[in-house]
Amino acid sequence: MAQSMAKEFTKGLWAEIPLFRLVLGLCPALAVTKTVENGIGMGLATTFVLICSNLLVSLLRNIIPPKVRIACYIVIIATFVTVVELVMQAFTYQLFLQLGIFIPLIVVNCLVLGRAEAFAGKNPAHLAVADGVGMGVGFTLGLGALGAVRECLGAGTLLGSPVFGPDFQPFTFMVEAPGAFMGLGLMLCLMNLVGKK
Amino acid sequence: MREMISMVVVLTVLSAFAGGLLAAVKSGTEKRIENQILKFQKAPAIRQILSDVANDPMKDRFKIQDKDQSITFFVGKQENSTAVAFETKGKGYGGDIGLMVGIDLGSDEVVGMRVTTHAETPGLGSRAKDDTSFVSQFAGLSIKEAVFAVKNNGGDINAMSGATVTSKGLCVAASRAQELYLELKPEINQQIKQLAN
């Protein structure tokens, strides 16, 4: 059991890393990765939703009638997203202001619904949780990496502290929307080069 | 038929559980969220409006119940004048906009206004908060005489170009503050006297 759990967990970190292999959940990935902090915050919020919704969907998989399964999944996901939104407002208000509209939009993040539909709805709870943790961590890593590239080049800082000398001219293009597409495209390209056999 | 019933029952029970959970989380975080908004959104606005005061407006505050809502008033005292600041809401392009309004109790003139919470379009409506040239038009106007409306609607205020809906919403919030102030003035004076004791 531990072995199969480990397998489901690790696949989310590399072989099926959401952002670069499954290419799911691009909307928040492009929008909030201006800085590493935002990327990781968004990733953790999504991870929480993923784990909880995977667990619940998996536990209820024999009770939920197949014809209304999507509606049930959305109810479950939306509930946890609202929980995250309220908790973030209560404890990390500044991060909440930064992420803004993208927190409620986790509901329609195809990664969350995708895992519920493709994995949690067909597998037992312990595997579904392992899958959720793996996918969540993979997503967080992806967002963090993209955020790091964009923050480094676009603002010359990493987690708010400068990385280059004072003579560095920030490449502001990278923190704007087109820079997000370029950054993601180049990282996908890099991942494909590395993963090529 | 059996399938029908099970679909209805499952969805209903699931939604009921979701509703219950959210209500619990909401009531659990409500107080903290209120404090966070006070700390990160209202406090900076109040400090800007009641800038050179001798007391701490965040401490000297009281609530007045008006019909179905309770309004918090923040008191700023100078050597020979007293001002109050309170928040009203107006409808903007992206939902409610909070406007903190400061009024001098002696002269009945607006001391200053600042936007607090909003969900306006970044770069257009959001200028109302980031650039104070719009809200500073209100400063010095008399609560009893001025018409808080944009010029097109026969008022005294120049709308922000490209953000008409936001401008109008803020004028509605300001007029609401006008009404409230005139209606509650005796009670405000009474509360301030009690506060001094």
Side-chain angles (χ1 to χ4, degrees):
Chain A
M1 182 173 133
Q3 207 179 6
S4 55
M5 273 179 84
K7 200 182 119 231
E8 298 305 340
F9 171 71
T10 47
K11 75 162 194 264
L13 300 183
W14 185 256
E16 287 182 29
I17 186 165
L19 217 46
F20 305 124
R21 286 274 191 252
L22 300 181
V23 201
L24 283 179
L26 292 190
C27 162
L30 294 169
V32 304
T33 53
K34 284 191 179 129
T35 63
V36 187
E37 196 192 341
N38 283 5
I40 292 178
M42 184 71 199
L44 291 180
T46 314
T47 306
F48 171 80
V49 175
L50 253 174
I51 296 171
C52 295
S53 69
N54 262 10
L55 175 67
L56 220 66
V57 165
S58 170
L59 287 176
L60 298 175
R61 71 185 187 283
N62 295 326
I63 305 169
I64 292 174
K67 277 185 186 159
V68 289
R69 68 181 192 285
I70 300 291
C72 292
Y73 296 168
I74 289 291
V75 170
I76 293 170
I77 294 166
T79 307
F80 287 117
V81 170
T82 314
V83 169
V84 167
E85 194 187 353
L86 288 170
V87 170
M88 271 188 126
Q89 249 179 306
F91 294 95
T92 56
Y93 194 77
Q94 272 163 323
L95 186 63
F96 170 78
L97 286 182
Q98 289 279 316
L99 298 179
I101 185 70
F102 294 102
I103 293 295
L105 281 181
I106 298 175
V107 178
V108 289
N109 188 331
C110 45
L111 175 63
V112 183
L113 188 60
R115 290 331 286 175
E117 167 76 6
F119 195 88
K122 295 173 188 137
N123 289 286
H126 65 281
L127 291 181
V129 170
D131 177 76
V133 177
M135 285 291 160
V137 173
F139 189 59
T140 310
L141 285 177
L143 287 182
L146 190 55
V149 170
R150 291 181 67 195
E151 193 183 337
C152 256
L153 296 177
T157 59
L158 200 58
L159 284 170
S161 50
V163 279
F164 300 114
D167 295 332
F168 178 71
Q169 283 288 324
F171 186 31
T172 36
F173 171 76
M174 284 307 287
V175 287
E176 278 158 35
F181 284 95
M182 296 279 292
L184 183 69
L186 290 173
M187 289 192 78
L188 271 172
C189 175
L190 204 70
M191 281 293 285
N192 282 341
L193 272 181
V194 173
K196 216 167 108 181
K197 277 174 195 147
Chain B
M1 193 63 203
R2 252 191 66 118
E3 197 192 358
M4 258 317 242
I5 293 168
S6 89
M7 286 198 299
V8 171
V9 169
V10 168
L11 255 181
T12 312
V13 172
L14 202 60
S15 308
F17 266 109
L21 177 69
L22 287 182
V25 174
K26 169 125 180 118
S27 65
T29 51
E30 210 166 22
K31 263 235 136 69
R32 265 199 85 99
I33 292 176
E34 205 176 294
N35 279 336
Q36 295 274 35
I37 292 177
L38 193 69
K39 193 169 149 202
F40 289 107
Q41 300 272 28
K42 292 187 187 168
I46 293 166
R47 294 240 153 77
Q48 280 177 344
I49 294 168
L50 308 172
S51 46
D52 44 343
V53 291
N55 65 329
D56 180 7
M58 300 311 295
K59 263 190 204 148
D60 292 338
R61 58 179 203 233
F62 54 83
K63 280 186 179 179
I64 293 179
Q65 193 72 30
D66 176 61
K67 286 161 208 134
D68 52 346
Q69 56 173 346
S70 88
I71 306 150
T72 311
F73 290 82
F74 302 88
V75 183
K77 283 182 190 147
Q78 274 170 311
E79 226 169 287
N80 37 28
S81 69
T82 308
V84 287
F86 58 99
E87 195 184 32
T88 53
K89 297 221 153 48
K91 203 129 201 84
Y93 198 75
D96 278 348
I97 317 175
L99 183 68
M100 188 62 76
V101 182
I103 300 169
D104 189 298
L105 280 169
S107 61
D108 291 337
E109 277 175 6
V110 175
V111 188
M113 287 189 192
R114 287 290 183 278
V115 174
T116 53
T117 46
H118 74 89
E120 298 304 286
T121 318
L124 292 174
S126 72
R127 279 179 297 161
K129 180 168 184 162
D130 307 329
D131 173 4
T132 52
S133 61
F134 176 76
V135 280
S136 59
Q137 293 181 71
F138 290 93
L141 294 180
S142 163
I143 284 288
K144 284 186 175 147
E145 285 150 28
V147 183
F148 291 160
V150 292
K151 287 215 163 119
N152 273 351
N153 294 359
D156 303 324
I157 307 298
N158 286 315
M160 287 179 287
S161 56
T164 318
V165 179
T166 312
S167 308
K168 285 183 179 165
L170 285 171
C171 286
V172 169
S175 318
R176 174 100 187 94
Q178 225 172 351
E179 280 167 34
L180 271 174
Y181 175 77
L182 293 175
E183 186 190 318
L184 298 175
K185 198 181 174 191
E187 210 171 325
I188 295 171
N189 276 324
Q190 210 176 8
Q191 290 275 1
I192 288 177
K193 259 184 217 149
Q194 276 181 11
L195 212 62
N197 290 334

